Amino acid sequence: MANASAKKLAIQNDKILDNLRKGFMIVHITFLSYRVFYNWATFTTAQLALYVMTTGVSMFMYSTLESTGRPYYDATGTLIKSGEDMNAEGLTAYMFDIIYVTWFTQMMAAFVSTKFWYTFLVIPGYATYKLLPMAISQIRKARAQGGAEEAEGSKSKRQEKMEKKAKKGHVKYVR
């Protein structure tokens, strides 16, 4: 069977993205029906702004996953592109994590307390935790290279003379 692994990946990606869409529907219908319609008296514009912001972030992540992971078929049903692996580590996994943190935050803010909106700060906190060591190592590397260049510039006259002599070469031409 040709392209069996691509077909298997396409089916798997379709299933994952469909489950993600169902999760979005459940979370947003639940939030809106409970928080907005049932508890309208306690729903503020600040909560609306937080809901729109967190939904925007998670929808951006979902649309990115959708565009990279959704398989494409032609009119006859032949697989054209299976999409990227939705179970891959790295950025794909981080996008799923951001979506899940958003869902958790929205559900807890709807049913438990509005203080759960602060849970969304876990995302930039984790990004800082992961990126700060890399940034510090790059800064240290740049400083070390700058220090090495300074050390080259501070040579004694004798060292400069010897380097100049070495560059000149010692070739004697004989007739």
Side-chain angles (χ1 to χ4, degrees), residues 99-118:
I99 291 170
Y100 297 148
V101 167
T102 303
W103 289 353
F104 174 78
T105 301
Q106 289 173 344
M107 289 291 93
M108 292 296 109
F111 291 111
V112 179
S113 170
T114 57
K115 302 284 185 200
F116 270 96
W117 287 115
Y118 291 114

Side-chain angles (χ1 to χ4, degrees), residues 6-157:
K7 290 177 184 177
K8 185 177 178 183
L9 181 64
I11 291 169
Q12 186 179 9
N13 285 352
D14 241 351
K15 185 177 178 183
I16 290 170
L17 291 171
D18 287 343
N19 286 339
L20 204 57
R21 181 181 292 131
K22 289 174 189 173
F24 265 107
M25 294 295 190
I26 290 169
V27 167
H28 293 295
I29 289 171
T30 304
F31 181 87
L32 291 173
S33 63
Y34 181 77
R35 193 71 197 161
V36 177
F37 302 126
Y38 185 70
N39 285 335
W40 176 252
T42 62
F43 191 68
T44 64
T45 55
Q47 290 177 15
L48 177 64
L50 288 168
Y51 174 74
V52 168
M53 181 194 70
T54 56
T55 300
V57 169
S58 63
M59 288 305 254
F60 173 74
M61 297 297 163
Y62 173 74
S63 66
T64 303
L65 290 171
E66 177 79 27
S67 65
T68 59
R70 183 68 67 183
Y72 294 106
Y73 299 94
D74 65 3
T76 62
T78 306
L79 181 66
I80 296 172
K81 179 184 165 198
S82 62
E84 298 296 321
D85 186 11
M86 292 288 104
N87 291 323
E89 294 296 318
L91 196 57
T92 304
Y94 290 140
M95 284 192 241
F96 276 106
D97 292 344
I98 290 170
I99 291 170
Y100 297 148
V101 167
T102 303
W103 289 353
F104 174 78
T105 301
Q106 289 173 344
M107 289 291 93
M108 292 296 109
F111 291 111
V112 179
S113 170
T114 57
K115 302 284 185 200
F116 270 96
W117 287 115
Y118 291 114
T119 308
F120 200 69
L121 294 175
V122 167
I123 296 168
Y126 184 73
T128 303
Y129 168 75
K130 289 299 250 181
L131 295 175
L132 194 61
M134 288 190 287
I136 289 172
S137 69
Q138 291 296 325
I139 291 170
R140 286 183 181 162
K141 189 185 294 184
R143 284 185 183 169
Q145 288 175 351
E149 290 172 4
E150 278 183 22
E152 277 184 23
S154 61
K155 294 181 183 176
S156 67
K157 287 184 180 181

